[in-house]
Amino acid sequence: MKTIGLVLLCSVALWSQSQNTAQIQGIIQDASGSAVPGALVKVTQADTGVGREVTSEADGGYVLPNLPIGPYKLEVSKPGFSTYVQTGIVLQVATNPTIDIQLKIGSVNEQVQVEANAALVETQATGVGNVMETQRIVELPLNGRVATDLIQYTGAALVLGTAGNGGYPGTEQFTIAGGQAFGVAFWLDGSVYNNPWDLANMPLPFPDALQEFKVETSSLTAQNGVHAGGTVTGVTRSGGNSFHGDAFEFLRNGDLNARNFFAPRRDTLKRNQFGGTVGGPVIKNKLFFFFGYQDTITRQDPAANAAATFVPTAAMISGNFSACPTDLSASVLAGIPASISSQIHNNIIPASLLDPAALKLAALLPPTTGACGQTGFGLTTDVNENQYVARGDYQTSAKNTLFGRYIRSHFFRPPSYNFTPSNLLTSAQGALNDADQSWVVGDTYLFSPTLVNQFRASVDRIGVHRYADDYVSACDLGVPVYCGYVPHQSGFTVTGAFTVGPGTGGQAKAHSTPLQLNDDISWVHGNHQINFGGGGEVSKMLFYGNVYSQTNWTFNNLPTFLLGEFSTNSMSLPNDLLQEKWFMNFYIQDTWKVSSHFTVNAGLRWEPFFPPSEINGSVYNFSLPGLIAGTKSTQFVNAPPGLSYPGDPGFIGKTGEQKQWNLFAPRVALAWDPKGDGKMVIRAGWGISYDYVAGELMVNSADAPPYGGTEIWAGQFSNPFATNPGGNIYPYTPNKNAPFAPAGTYIFVPPNLKTPATMSWNLVLQRQLSNNWLVSATYLGSESEHLWDSYQVNPAVYIPGTCAAGQYGLAKPGPCSSTANQNYRRTFVLNNYPGTLFANGSPAFGYVDSFDSGATSSYNGLLLAISKRFSKGLSMNANYTWSHCIGDLSIGDSTGNAGQGLAIAKRPPL
């Protein structure tokens, strides 16, 4: 894939290492260019009056690390020299500007005052990044006021779509510089801010409550980890010595919109976003507060879309397709069993062939006057969304600073069927009731001017509730299946025609709770700045779903629907995923200022992999040699051969996977300032990073027999188990004697899967023009390996020709291969492996997919950028990305669906 991007924005580009604070460094010299050691360097944050001091080293160098972002005043003094004072310095998140100072001989009572911002060029950065500061976040037009929409304008970043039902509604996922969609680490106020379910971000503060954020990628410092594609570091706003605040309202109204091409009239969209912020001092120079609130009210009753939906007409319900002969074309008839299609003549289906359950469902659909069943409807949207942001900062002493922050985001949308109970089609949009909360506390302590410790602790709570109003279930239509898990709610899809029910948006509850601790130390020693630290996280993800237990029926077209010939139906117990995941890391990083022209960054990160533990034990391994040898589980007496579960000999805990301790990630970068004046730099960086897949990947794996007992098969609607003998096993309890579903679906994790790894590198040329312009040219490259995909271990084999009754599961003569008998045409049955047929002749295995870590990808890109820092009322940023990315499809942030793995003829034994 080749990607070319051009972005022009009001912006300012800064490039640096990632953290939730900033730092200043530089060299102090006299008029002759000689180093000035022992000079007192003091910075004071203009908003809060909080200050920090350090003394310059023997070579005149100084470093002030871990500074809160914002405007600063810099003062440098030493006896025999005039005091130097610089104002107008604005520190941005995760930046390290260099401010070199020349002192003039004179009295310390004399002042040399300069008003200028810091240099745009950074000589200590290792990666590539861009800051989105408050002004652009608040003032640029954002549809919905979602700050993360600006990520795509930072360069080398693309939107890959919207996260699924397990995340906060409308959350987008991004790929940065060829990384994976699950490979972006979000940090807010010093703590990881990813949802463990899909690894997308939790909701960032609304624009007025977000100070700024930075997007960066490629061989970042050893302090950065968790994900390999990129890092987004954000900081919430805080209070200061002056009271400040705002109030706002933004309006969208359908009367101001253009008409949808397919709609007969304009929609009725009404969206109001309103709120405000307030911040200020509780005790000046010591204790500060900030609070923000935003409410979003959306109401919409869209016009009927007459081109998108088709339902059976009254004539079709009687079997007459004469008014729409294309629905019974030769290609459609070819997909219907010959014993049935041979009775269809002149576009008439005999009434005796029509399925009674399908006719009952058709009678519940809205009437239509279109010849082919065209109908139109709109999904009523009634959304209420709000967010609270609160923060406090406390300077307890000259050496210690504390802060605390709380965010709550709530989204509520009732089911559309609640507003239009007369139209069954509106059941397709279910309800969402989500609430995300985040607490974080932090402490910054100065052991000395050159030794700073930063501690963070956080708790996040992600709550998801999906549901629908009762509409109709297969049982209500007379189909003999179990509907007790979600009564009166089944899913029905007729491809190219209509859908009933919310599908994967049906009844489910989920709660994820990540707990984090992080500690980072910065030690300046001579011309070395050494950063080291570590952290850990444990997250518990409890998901209670009913995707398959509500039964979901799919028909290929309207004729097969009325005939009751379903192509797939899925059934299972409720598909629960109860998962616990541990994470740990340690790092050390040395920034060595070799000379005024040359800087070396070197670091090492240790990030061992701990596989997720399934709390209820719903994990298993599969062994093809074990199947062939007839090896059975000791934990479940009815399990087919080849499967092993927690408690079986050799099974690894409740993970089924091996821990990986030897995951070390070295990082190295070089920076050369040709003239030593901080106006131009040439940088090169290289590093290794590791990635971790999303929790949702295991949701279908955990639904295998006996825990979920998922069955997926084809057959006759009113008599579904005729083609799935022994499949009517629900409800049951998953104990030692639990039944195993015929043609059970399995997606297993081999014990020796490897952790996704990325090797990245960059070459950067930056040049500052005048005080506020910066131009840059950057080459970005990466190679990723051990990406997770899946392949089919038990694929169905196509058998040509016509076969007799009894062959390949056929009840009567007909084509050897059809969707109804695919489980009899799978590899295990065809090879006569032991135990692959139950006593009643049903196949024991349906889909059997294996996760695999053999996928790879590569990326090469050129990023050109020019920016103007805000001055004289104008800021600007333009960037252009040319890139080439090629690789295998990775499923690290998918739900790991059965039967979608690669169909590979030969694989090594499992």
Side-chain angles (χ1 to χ4, degrees), residues 257-560:
N257 293 345
R259 178 180 60 85
N260 182 290
F261 180 80
F262 294 108
R265 58 182 175 83
R266 293 180 180 179
D267 61 42
T268 58
L269 171 67
K270 292 181 176 64
R271 184 170 72 192
N272 295 80
Q273 288 185 288
F274 57 90
T277 65
V278 61
V282 178
I283 303 174
K284 283 200 170 185
N285 298 326
K286 204 166 188 69
L287 182 61
F288 313 95
F289 79 96
F290 176 84
F291 177 78
Y293 172 77
Q294 176 178 280
D295 202 325
T296 303
I297 300 174
T298 305
R299 302 291 183 264
Q300 186 171 15
D301 182 15
N305 187 340
T309 305
F310 298 84
V311 297
T313 65
M316 292 177 183
I317 292 174
S318 67
N320 189 344
F321 281 78
S322 300
C324 192
T326 55
D327 277 6
L328 279 176
S329 64
S331 60
V332 171
L333 291 172
I336 298 174
S339 59
I340 296 176
S341 62
S342 62
Q343 302 180 57
I344 300 174
H345 304 288
N346 300 319
N347 298 309
I348 303 294
I349 299 176
S352 61
L353 297 179
L354 298 175
D355 187 271
L359 293 177
K360 289 181 180 179
L361 179 58
L364 298 175
L365 298 172
T368 177
T369 57
C372 291
Q374 300 98 323
T375 188
F377 69 98
L379 294 173
T380 299
T381 298
D382 190 319
V383 173
N384 289 278
E385 182 179 5
N386 55 62
Q387 186 181 69
Y388 302 87
V389 181
R391 174 172 173 144
D393 294 83
Y394 183 30
Q395 182 79 18
T396 62
S397 69
K399 290 187 173 183
N400 195 64
T401 303
L402 297 171
F403 89 93
R405 184 262 299 150
Y406 172 69
I407 297 177
R408 185 181 191 273
S409 304
H410 181 231
F411 183 101
F412 177 69
R413 183 194 70 196
S416 289
Y417 192 54
N418 178 67
F419 302 102
T420 51
S422 61
N423 190 338
L424 191 62
L425 297 178
T426 61
S427 64
Q429 180 172 279
L432 294 173
N433 189 4
D434 294 5
D436 287 10
Q437 300 179 79
S438 176
W439 298 261
V440 63
V441 295
D443 178 85
T444 301
Y445 187 80
L446 280 67
F447 290 100
S448 73
T450 58
L451 184 62
V452 182
N453 184 82
Q454 189 177 76
F455 171 79
R456 296 288 184 270
S458 67
V459 179
D460 299 327
R461 177 74 167 176
I462 300 115
V464 177
H465 184 200
R466 307 192 307 253
Y467 65 93
D469 287 342
D470 289 343
Y471 48 95
V472 67
S473 69
C475 298
D476 297 329
L477 303 173
V479 180
V481 294
Y482 182 73
C483 302
Y485 298 121
V486 191
H488 312 298
Q489 297 182 30
S490 292
F492 308 94
T493 298
V494 179
T495 305
F498 67 86
T499 296
V500 172
T504 59
Q507 175 65 40
K509 291 184 178 181
H511 300 283
S512 296
T513 309
L515 310 175
Q516 300 175 57
L517 295 175
N518 300 292
D519 195 78
D520 303 280
I521 296 175
S522 176
W523 178 36
V524 179
H525 183 68
N527 55 358
H528 292 265
Q529 182 180 352
I530 301 172
N531 292 80
F532 59 94
E537 176 185 286
V538 58
S539 63
K540 186 170 288 187
M541 188 176 69
L542 307 178
F543 173 80
Y544 303 93
N546 292 278
V547 172
Y548 297 141
S549 58
Q550 64 188 0
T551 74
N552 287 282
W553 310 79
T554 301
F555 304 85
N556 289 333
N557 44 57
L558 282 175
T560 57

Side-chain angles (χ1 to χ4, degrees), residues 738-755:
F740 270 64
T745 297
Y746 300 88
I747 313 166
F748 67 95
V749 181
N752 58 349
L753 276 183
K754 296 182 178 179
T755 300

Side-chain angles (χ1 to χ4, degrees), residues 225-244:
V226 183
H227 294 292
T231 297
V232 179
T233 306
V235 179
T236 55
R237 294 195 68 179
S238 57
N241 277 330
S242 300
F243 286 99
H244 60 81

